[in-house]
Amino acid sequence: MPLTAAASPACSDASTRGSDRRAPHRRRPDRRLLRLIVAGAVTVGVGLGAAALAADPPAAAQSSDESAKQAAREIQAARDKANEAAAAFLQAQSDLEVLQDQATGLENEETVLRERVDRLRRDVESLAVARFATSGSKGIPLLTGLQAPKDQVQADVLVDVVTDAGTSSIDEFELATKELVQNQRELDQRRQDIEDQQAVFTQLQSDAEAEVQRLREVEEQRLTDEAVVQALAAQQRASLSKWVEAQLRNNEAAARAQPNPGVVAAQAAQAAADAQAAAAADPTAADGELPPDGVPVSTVAPNGGASGGTSGGRTGTGGAGSVPIGVLNGEIYIDAIICPMPGSAYGDSWGAPRSGGRRHEGVDMLAPTGTPIYAVASGSVSFKQNRLGGNAVSLAGDNGNRYYYAHLSQYEGASRRVNQGDVIGYNGDTGNATGIPHLHFEIHPGGGLAVNPTPSVRIAGC
């Protein structure tokens, strides 16, 4: 079932970008704070999901505790299945874009090789033409092949030409011809790979859309009951607490295995500075989406794992509330937000390759066109279009963080101050979304570099 639905109100333009700043050192995780984040974010996120998916719930009797828990398990199972399908689809999309980039590179290389072969062919012919004109030959054996009794005589003449003119032009011509043939073979194979991957991509897109639709139906049926909402929140708190503890253990083990964390931190800082300088020198080479003001998001190294890597834990300073909440050993950032788009499915595609050599700097959330999108925190929103993001939103949060939304079908109202949970727009496929309705969502702690938003989205109960 395609991800399409009704759209809504119109839009206006304006946006700003925050400054890039980073934390000077790693912070020890505050386990109590993290547990509070998990509890608070899940409760708010699930509550918003219930309100968004059932704005006018029918009056229904309270279900028993067990039936509420069972309904919550069914909702979570549907979410897990939809997220799994979305993750497979997003991986297929990344693989397809990589193949298409490779094919484009091979096509460009083919053009250069053909021009080179044609030029070398003319050089070889110019070397041999005088000698062959006097010998009565009608062709160049190297170029036409040995096809007549006198071809051997012609070949002997060509040997004399080579002796006079040297072998470099002939050898270069032969090498270029072989390279062109190899290029054409690789290009044919890549085109076949693209055709095969396109079939996989189309099937996985259909599967993901079907699972998202099933998830929305399950939630609409069950989240009308407050007991189910509470059971789901409790279930998520327990699950996410285990997840946070596992991430803490993994990061602490990695920290112990690292002999000199200071050196690594310095290297990471230098890499980030180099990446920023490169992005400033060549904006078209920047990673991720373009923010609303058209200035590329700073380059971030690809993540080293499902939910972290070298890019997490960046912070900003200098303003009230600019210190981020819940950084796990400086690696995995967790922001106390609500779900930006309830009723959606997503996968951790942070750092995944994208066309043009970019890396993905957000989380993609699949839902039908027209699905409401919410302010994840209180602050000021500005709306503006750009080439990659289409209809985009920049939310400058009161907490000092900046949030970026892309590919909206339409905005809700104009640039303004908003409260957490206000509708700011509707899901769509504008920009480079390639006809697949989804929300591209980014988190920029302190207005600086993007971090992997997947853990925050997960804890928000999406």
Side-chain angles (χ1 to χ4, degrees):
M1 184 170 185
L3 293 179
T4 55
S8 287
C11 59
S12 75
D13 293 349
S15 177
T16 56
R17 282 284 295 162
S19 59
D20 285 346
R21 300 186 178 113
R22 305 185 71 246
H25 61 274
R26 293 187 177 186
R27 297 171 46 189
R28 295 292 297 173
D30 187 332
R31 293 172 182 267
R32 291 174 299 174
L33 180 58
L34 289 171
R35 291 191 181 97
L36 288 174
I37 294 170
V38 170
V42 169
T43 301
V44 174
V46 173
L48 177 61
L53 296 174
D56 188 18
Q62 291 289 327
S63 58
S64 67
D65 287 346
E66 188 51 45
S67 62
K69 291 178 181 178
Q70 177 59 32
R73 286 192 289 269
E74 291 174 3
I75 292 172
Q76 191 58 52
R79 288 181 179 178
D80 291 343
K81 193 170 182 180
N83 288 342
E84 181 180 346
F89 163 70
L90 293 170
Q91 181 61 54
Q93 178 187 27
S94 179
D95 293 344
L96 181 60
E97 290 192 21
V98 168
L99 289 172
Q100 289 170 336
D101 265 8
Q102 291 174 351
T104 299
L106 288 169
E107 288 169 353
N108 294 337
E109 184 180 338
E110 179 188 31
T111 299
V112 173
L113 284 171
R114 283 192 181 279
E115 292 175 353
R116 183 181 173 203
V117 167
D118 289 343
R119 176 178 56 79
L120 290 171
R121 184 187 297 273
R122 289 192 297 270
D123 291 346
V124 171
E125 288 175 341
S126 66
L127 286 172
V129 67
R131 299 294 295 272
F132 275 93
T134 58
S135 70
S137 172
K138 295 183 180 179
I140 302 176
L142 175 64
L143 304 177
T144 62
L146 302 177
Q147 299 175 347
K150 61 179 180 180
D151 283 345
Q152 186 58 53
V153 175
Q154 295 174 351
D156 292 339
V157 174
L158 182 59
V159 171
D160 292 339
V161 173
V162 172
T163 301
D164 293 340
T167 61
S168 59
S169 294
I170 302 294
D171 291 344
E172 191 176 355
F173 172 76
E174 290 179 327
L175 179 60
T177 302
K178 290 178 181 177
E179 288 179 357
L180 178 58
V181 170
Q182 180 62 30
N183 169 273
Q184 290 172 327
R185 289 174 179 168
E186 292 180 8
L187 182 55
D188 289 342
Q189 181 60 55
R190 201 63 73 248
R191 285 170 175 163
Q192 183 60 54
D193 293 342
I194 290 174
E195 185 177 338
D196 295 342
Q197 184 63 25
Q198 185 67 55
V200 173
F201 171 82
T202 301
Q203 181 59 54
L204 289 176
Q205 179 182 355
S206 177
D207 293 346
E209 289 175 340
E211 290 302 330
V212 169
Q213 184 60 35
R214 178 176 176 274
L215 167 63
R216 293 172 67 82
E217 291 171 355
V218 169
E219 289 185 338
E220 287 172 353
Q221 291 169 3
R222 290 163 174 74
L223 286 178
T224 58
D225 191 333
E226 182 61 27
V228 175
V229 172
Q230 295 303 321
L232 180 61
Q235 177 179 293
Q236 288 185 317
R237 282 195 297 270
S239 174
L240 292 173
S241 292
K242 292 179 181 178
W243 179 81
V244 168
E245 291 294 338
Q247 297 297 333
L248 283 166
R249 287 194 298 272
N250 292 341
N251 286 342
E252 288 171 350
R256 287 195 299 271
Q258 175 53 249
N260 194 340
V263 172
V264 174
Q267 291 173 341
Q270 184 59 51
D274 293 344
Q276 285 182 259
D282 182 9
T284 60
D287 296 341
E289 307 285 348
L290 286 178
D293 56 9
V295 179
V297 172
S298 300
T299 303
V300 176
N303 61 321
S307 301
T310 60
S311 58
R314 292 173 174 79
T315 66
T317 58
S322 64
V323 178
I325 301 173
V327 178
L328 308 191
N329 278 2
E331 292 295 330
I332 297 176
Y333 178 83
I334 297 177
D335 196 352
I337 60 173
I338 63 172
C339 184
M341 188 168 67
S344 60
Y346 59 92
D348 189 351
S349 55
W350 173 259
R354 288 292 187 263
S355 60
R358 298 172 298 119
R359 291 279 176 175
H360 196 230
E361 286 196 340
V363 59
D364 286 341
M365 308 180 72
L366 310 179
T369 297
T371 299
I373 294 171
Y374 297 86
V376 297
S378 297
S380 298
V381 293
S382 55
F383 302 143
K384 192 172 182 179
Q385 294 81 25
N386 64 74
R387 181 175 59 86
L388 293 182
N391 293 333
V393 179
S394 177
L395 167 58
D398 293 339
N399 58 10
N401 298 338
R402 184 173 294 276
Y403 307 93
Y404 175 66
Y405 305 69
H407 310 311
L408 282 69
S409 61
Q410 287 185 299
Y411 301 127
E412 176 65 35
S415 299
R416 64 191 187 280
R417 274 207 52 83
V418 294
N419 294 319
Q420 185 181 57
D422 286 353
V423 175
I424 58 175
Y426 304 89
N427 192 42
D429 59 0
T430 56
N432 69 340
T434 62
I436 302 160
H438 71 277
L439 169 66
H440 172 91
F441 177 70
E442 297 180 8
I443 297 178
H444 295 257
L449 297 173
V451 298
N452 187 357
T454 310
S456 299
V457 167
R458 176 182 174 123
I459 283 184
C462 292

